[in-house]
Amino acid sequence: MVIKSINYVHKHADARATGCWRYENGRLILEHFQACSEMSPDVAIGFPKATADVPVTDTGLGIVLAARSKAVTEYRSIDLPPDAGSGYWLRGFEADRSVAVPMLNDQGELIRILSVAVVGLETPSEFYSGIIQAAYQLYF
């Protein structure tokens, strides 16, 4: 189901990168990452290695803020330092922003985070969070 959800989001968002992490014991564990075909191999290989297991105390990443807040989080590359965290990776993806959306269970507990990196700032983040929410409903 994870791969199908990633493929759905990647296609419908016209994404540069899409990833899904499950929440487990205060950590985000990468379940799957999809890079666009034009992405630098160094970035396409380096990002999943760097985010394979992320503590939710690492506040430099949008997925962590989404996990901590249990709310949709948008990070824009122009607002972030270029040499660390999401700012570094968004630039590597050649993306302008990422939108990370938590999936919660009926008790409000975090299950996973799905995030998409895209080009452009004109489309509202609600558009991308809607695509991710649709993927959650279709595949989980």
Side-chain angles (χ1 to χ4, degrees):
M1 294 301 163
V2 170
I3 293 174
K4 286 184 178 184
S5 68
I6 292 283
N7 289 340
Y8 178 90
V9 171
H10 200 78
K11 175 184 173 189
H12 287 84
D14 193 22
R16 297 289 302 165
T18 310
C20 186
W21 293 259
R22 77 178 177 278
Y23 179 73
E24 190 175 292
N25 299 318
R27 306 185 79 76
L28 294 172
I29 310 299
L30 182 64
E31 293 184 295
H32 188 71
F33 173 72
Q34 183 172 337
C36 66
S37 60
E38 310 85 42
M39 189 172 293
S40 156
D42 290 342
V43 175
I45 294 167
F47 179 77
K49 284 184 180 178
T51 63
D53 183 351
V54 179
V56 295
T57 55
D58 181 355
T59 57
L61 296 171
I63 58 171
V64 171
L65 183 57
R68 292 169 63 106
S69 67
K70 296 182 184 174
V72 174
T73 300
E74 178 184 74
Y75 268 20
R76 299 177 344 149
S77 62
I78 60 172
D79 300 330
L80 301 168
D83 55 351
S86 287
Y88 175 80
W89 291 114
L90 284 171
R91 285 171 179 85
F93 298 156
E94 298 180 17
D96 295 308
R97 64 179 161 161
S98 64
V99 177
V101 180
M103 179 182 186
L104 308 176
N105 66 16
D106 292 339
Q107 292 75 40
E109 299 166 327
L110 182 63
I111 298 171
R112 70 181 27 88
I113 300 287
L114 206 154
S115 181
V116 63
V118 297
V119 173
L121 299 173
E122 60 283 342
T123 303
S125 61
E126 293 81 11
F127 173 79
Y128 299 108
S129 64
I131 291 170
I132 293 171
Q133 291 291 354
Y136 283 154
Q137 292 194 0
L138 285 168
Y139 300 109
F140 294 101

